[in-house]
Amino acid sequence: MNSEMKAQSKKLLRKKPQTSKSPLNSWRDAVAGWVFIGPMFIGTSILVIFPILSSLTLSFTNWNIVAGYENAEFIGLDNFVALFNDPLFIKSLGNNFLLLLAIPITLFISLTLATIINKYIYFKDFFKVIFFMPFISSIVAVAVVFRVLFHPTQGPINQLLMTLGIDNPPGWIADISFALPSVMLIMIWTGIGFNLIIYLAGLQSIPKELYEAAQIDGASAWYQFKKITIPLVSPTTFLLFVTGIISSFKIFDLIIVLTGGGPANSTKVPVVYLYEKAFLDLRAGYASSISLVIFVIILIITYLQFKGQKKWVNY
């Protein structure tokens, strides 16, 4: 009896599970999948893929934005030749590279504040909200407020400086020498909150035993910060560094509202120059070539970052 039961169980085990191979079922699965991804696919195609392909095509043409596509004149690489001989574009590109200096400063301040809040502050959630508020605030509202604060004569900052005995305070956004640093200060102030939140998440993943062992060995707080905190949050730093550089090449609304690219083009960046060429001068082909150059620059910088991160990022 036992041998018969064993034989039947072996037969059952050898039987392959029957799967439905009906073409109708596979067709229904395919339709269901397309129904779910359809809205996102259509939206992405219309708002992202089509504009990218159109911009790539238009960068090789001389086209007025109010004319139809049929009036686009193919001119090859003439837009790019003119672009790299355009002193205003070269200046705007140089301004954007100077803005990159704000990124490591923001990361260092954010990591320092995150370390202090994580170790020594009790009301962590309260301080998270306080520092995060500038990041979630409307950048247009922020720019308007700083226009008032940075006013060369009536602004509260210069009024305070003159009260303290400084007769000739900086002109800030009205001064060629101080306009771009003023934009950098605002970038740092608005960017600290987001970076701080991400760093706090990274710090909480570091084992406390490492700090306890370092304290037993007599390591100072600075030594622990330098040898434990910085290396172990390096993946977070790399992520924020990459996203920060990409964001710096997209800065538009802050400069448009704050300075409009002035004074004397001292705060003009490629995205603002692109806007002027496309929607003020109506030179869509030339503006498209600017966008393509920005894309290539970001691609090269990101590639170099991914190559270089192998030397300083600890996973």
Side-chain angles (χ1 to χ4, degrees), residues 100 103 107 235-249 298 301-306 309 312:
L100 296 180
I103 298 170
L107 293 179
T236 305
T237 302
F238 175 67
L239 169 67
L240 294 175
F241 194 61
V242 171
T243 56
I245 287 181
I246 294 173
S247 299
S248 70
F249 277 93
I298 293 175
I301 293 176
T302 306
Y303 173 77
L304 294 176
Q305 286 177 307
F306 273 93
Q309 57 98 15
W312 62 275

Side-chain angles (χ1 to χ4, degrees), residues 216-232:
I216 293 172
D217 291 338
S220 64
W222 168 248
Y223 188 86
Q224 294 177 41
F225 179 75
K226 184 173 64 173
K227 295 297 183 180
I228 299 176
T229 304
I230 292 179
L232 292 183

Side-chain angles (χ1 to χ4, degrees), residues 83-266:
L83 191 63
F84 285 103
N85 289 304
D86 187 344
L88 197 52
F89 173 72
I90 300 299
K91 182 175 179 59
S92 67
L93 200 58
N95 290 338
N96 212 141
F97 280 112
L98 288 175
L99 289 179
L100 296 180
L101 297 175
I103 298 170
I105 298 173
T106 306
L107 293 179
F108 179 77
I109 296 174
S110 301
L111 179 56
T112 304
L113 290 173
T115 304
I116 294 172
I117 292 173
N118 189 54
K119 280 190 174 183
Y120 307 109
I121 303 297
Y122 289 102
F123 303 102
K124 292 181 174 61
D125 292 337
F126 173 75
F127 284 95
K128 287 179 185 178
V129 173
I130 292 297
F131 283 107
F132 198 64
M133 285 296 291
F135 180 77
I136 61 176
S137 300
S138 169
I139 196 65
V140 175
V142 170
V144 171
V145 169
F146 273 94
R147 281 185 65 180
V148 176
L149 292 175
F150 282 145
H151 193 279
T153 56
Q154 304 298 323
I157 295 177
N158 277 0
Q159 289 289 328
L160 176 63
L161 293 176
M162 286 188 286
T163 304
L164 295 175
I166 301 176
D167 296 328
N168 296 310
W172 303 111
I173 58 174
D175 191 327
I176 296 176
S177 302
F178 286 91
L180 198 62
S182 300
V183 174
M184 294 170 65
L185 285 174
I186 300 173
M187 289 175 59
I188 293 170
W189 182 73
T190 55
I192 285 175
F194 175 76
N195 294 336
L196 184 142
I197 296 295
I198 303 299
Y199 269 131
L200 280 172
L203 289 172
Q204 291 171 5
S205 65
I206 299 176
K208 294 182 180 179
E209 292 80 4
L210 296 176
Y211 293 105
E212 292 172 357
Q215 289 174 358
I216 293 172
D217 291 338
S220 64
W222 168 248
Y223 188 86
Q224 294 177 41
F225 179 75
K226 184 173 64 173
K227 295 297 183 180
I228 299 176
T229 304
I230 292 179
L232 292 183
V233 296
S234 56
T236 305
T237 302
F238 175 67
L239 169 67
L240 294 175
F241 194 61
V242 171
T243 56
I245 287 181
I246 294 173
S247 299
S248 70
F249 277 93
K250 298 191 299 180
I251 182 170
F252 173 77
D253 39 9
L254 174 62
I255 291 179
I256 283 292
V257 178
L258 188 68
T259 64
N265 300 315
S266 59

